[in-house]
Amino acid sequence: ERLHPTNSRFDVCTVNETVNGNLTEFVDNDLCQQLVVHQGVIKWNQDRYKALREKYRETRERYSKYLDKKYGLKEVNQFGNAEMVVPPSKPLERLDSSCSSDYDLTFDDLVKERQEASLKPVFEEDPKAAAEILKNIKRRKRREMHENEERVKQQKLLLMELWGKLLAQQEKELEECVSKKMLKQSTFEKQMTTKLFEVRQQAKHILANRRFMDDCALKKREDEFLEHVFLRDKGVGNQKGNYYVERGRMLELHRRLYAQRMCLYVSRRDDMCKRIVEDFVSLAVISAGYKEKYQADPDEAIRREWGNLFIKAKSLVAYLADVTELVVPEPVSSDLEEIYCFEMDRQEALDER
């Protein structure tokens, strides 16, 4: 059987390993409770940090491929290799050394462990080891600073090269655009110059033609004036003789025209008188025949018809004995056709009032 001490200064109890559960029961320091409680948050942040690192690595690889494809920039490792740190020859005592895994100890075991600990030599400070540790820490710090500086230089170099290429491309595009604009403007200016030259040439031709026409007209007027001045006295006698000859010819022509006109007037008047006399004779004969036939004077309607025929210079005697022959659609000879036309005109004159 195990011996249990009777001294009340010690409280011996069985200690078991910590299992997953409520760890706050086994933590003595109050500052550790938050870490234990928020282990899930810490785990999530660790996983998120790994995912972000992986995402940044993939993004950097894609960006390097993009620069290589578009600008021909290849990633060059310009960072220096870190120097290998030689570990110290004397092994240093580590503060994070693992303790004994057997926690199920009795009082005797604890007393024995305490005695063994008291027999161990007292820890002595080693300035050389501390200096070596500080030296390693400073060397690592300087290496990190150097790596950061090289990284910043590389980034600046890449940005400067990229910016230079972008500026060169923009300048080239600007020069091409300006060249196209200038070429187009020069083409328009050339067309305008050619058109203005053609207009000026046409204006010169028009002015020359006008001057030529003015000179010709002036010369013609001068010639006419000289001819009129120098030949006026010479042609006075001839012009006077020609005037009297032309005057006599015109008078003779007028006399002949007047005589012919008077002859025509007399003949037309004689013909008109003859037709009137013939109409009067025809009217008397018709009136006598009407009285003899009907034993009465012609009424007013018949006299009005005879008056219309006389005024319109139509024959008082009918050309056809039977007027109904005009409406019969029978073919007639050329001699009778003229008679039919005269009779139709006479009937139309009778119908008119």
Side-chain angles (χ1 to χ4, degrees):
E1 294 182 359
R2 294 182 179 179
L3 297 176
H4 296 280
T6 58
N7 193 354
S8 60
R9 292 176 58 186
F10 297 96
D11 187 10
V12 180
C13 62
T14 304
V15 179
N16 297 324
E17 293 184 357
T18 304
V19 296
N20 294 332
N22 190 4
L23 301 179
T24 56
E25 298 178 357
F26 306 99
V27 178
D28 297 334
N29 193 351
D30 296 337
L31 299 176
C32 297
Q33 292 181 2
Q34 296 294 331
L35 297 176
V36 175
V37 172
H38 296 88
Q39 277 190 353
V41 178
I42 295 172
K43 182 65 175 176
W44 179 82
N45 283 303
Q46 290 177 352
D47 296 339
R48 186 169 180 272
Y49 172 72
K50 293 179 181 179
L52 288 175
R53 285 191 61 183
E54 186 67 21
K55 183 178 179 181
Y56 292 156
R57 185 182 63 79
E58 294 177 357
T59 304
R60 184 176 180 82
E61 290 179 357
R62 288 199 303 270
Y63 184 68
S64 300
K65 292 179 180 179
Y66 169 76
L67 292 177
D68 186 13
K69 182 179 179 180
K70 189 169 184 179
Y71 302 104
L73 298 177
K74 295 184 179 180
E75 184 178 5
V76 180
N77 187 11
Q78 298 183 0
F79 300 102
N81 296 327
E83 298 179 359
M84 183 180 296
V85 179
V86 180
S89 58
K90 183 179 179 180
L92 300 177
E93 184 179 358
R94 299 181 61 86
L95 300 178
D96 56 349
S97 58
S98 59
C99 300
S100 177
S101 60
D102 189 6
Y103 293 99
D104 191 6
L105 301 176
T106 60
F107 177 75
D108 296 335
D109 296 334
L110 292 174
V111 171
K112 184 178 179 181
E113 187 174 338
R114 184 175 182 180
Q115 291 177 358
E116 291 178 356
S118 61
L119 295 176
K120 289 182 178 181
V122 181
F123 175 75
E124 296 179 359
E125 295 182 358
D126 191 355
K128 293 183 179 180
E132 188 68 23
I133 293 172
L134 291 175
K135 185 178 180 180
N136 293 334
I137 293 173
K138 290 180 180 179
R139 186 184 295 110
R140 184 171 59 185
K141 188 67 175 179
R142 285 195 300 270
R143 184 174 66 250
E144 291 178 356
M145 292 176 62
H146 180 69
E147 290 177 356
N148 290 332
E149 291 177 358
E150 293 294 334
R151 187 181 298 107
V152 171
K153 289 181 181 179
Q154 183 69 15
Q155 291 178 356
K156 288 183 178 180
L157 179 62
L158 291 175
L159 289 176
M160 290 298 293
E161 291 180 358
L162 179 59
W163 184 249
K165 289 191 175 183
L166 290 176
L167 289 178
Q169 185 178 1
Q170 290 180 358
E171 290 179 357
K172 184 177 179 181
E173 292 177 356
L174 180 61
E175 289 178 357
E176 291 179 355
C177 182
V178 172
S179 301
K180 290 180 180 179
K181 293 288 185 181
M182 293 296 293
L183 179 60
K184 192 174 182 180
Q185 184 177 359
S186 62
T187 304
F188 290 157
E189 290 178 355
K190 183 179 179 181
Q191 292 178 358
M192 291 176 64
T193 306
T194 306
K195 197 66 177 179
L196 291 174
F197 179 75
E198 292 177 356
V199 171
R200 187 175 64 180
Q201 291 296 115
Q202 291 179 0
K204 289 182 179 180
H205 292 325
I206 292 172
L207 184 60
N209 294 333
R210 183 174 296 175
R211 288 178 179 175
F212 178 75
M213 294 299 295
D214 293 341
D215 294 340
C216 292
L218 181 61
K219 186 176 180 181
K220 185 177 180 181
R221 286 197 299 270
E222 290 178 356
D223 294 340
E224 290 178 354
F225 177 75
L226 292 175
E227 183 179 359
H228 178 70
V229 170
F230 290 108
L231 299 179
R232 181 176 56 186
D233 298 334
K234 183 179 179 180
V236 169
N238 296 331
Q239 290 180 359
K240 188 179 292 185
N242 294 333
Y243 169 74
Y244 287 114
V245 172
E246 185 68 21
R247 181 182 177 186
R249 191 180 67 81
M250 293 297 293
L251 290 174
E252 183 65 24
L253 181 61
H254 280 291
R255 281 195 295 269
R256 290 181 181 181
L257 290 175
Y258 181 74
Q260 187 177 2
R261 181 180 178 185
M262 292 303 295
C263 291
L264 291 175
Y265 175 73
V266 171
S267 63
R268 186 174 59 182
R269 186 179 59 182
D270 293 342
D271 292 339
M272 184 175 62
C273 292
K274 288 179 181 179
R275 287 197 302 271
I276 292 172
V277 171
E278 290 177 357
D279 290 338
F280 283 159
V281 172
S282 299
L283 182 60
V285 172
I286 292 171
S287 178
Y290 186 85
K291 288 180 180 180
E292 184 180 357
K293 183 177 181 180
Y294 295 103
Q295 299 297 325
D297 293 332
D299 56 0
E300 186 178 357
I302 293 175
R303 289 198 300 270
R304 190 181 300 112
E305 290 180 358
W306 291 347
N308 290 333
L309 292 174
F310 177 75
I311 292 171
K312 295 178 181 179
K314 300 297 181 182
S315 177
L316 298 176
V317 181
Y319 293 98
L320 297 175
D322 188 4
V323 184
T324 57
E325 295 180 3
L326 296 174
V327 297
V328 177
E330 293 181 358
V332 295
S333 61
S334 59
D335 298 336
L336 295 176
E337 185 176 0
E338 186 176 359
I339 297 173
Y340 281 4
C341 291
F342 289 155
E343 184 62 27
M344 291 176 67
D345 293 339
R346 183 176 176 277
Q347 293 297 327
E348 288 179 359
L350 288 174
D351 294 337
E352 294 178 358
R353 294 290 184 268

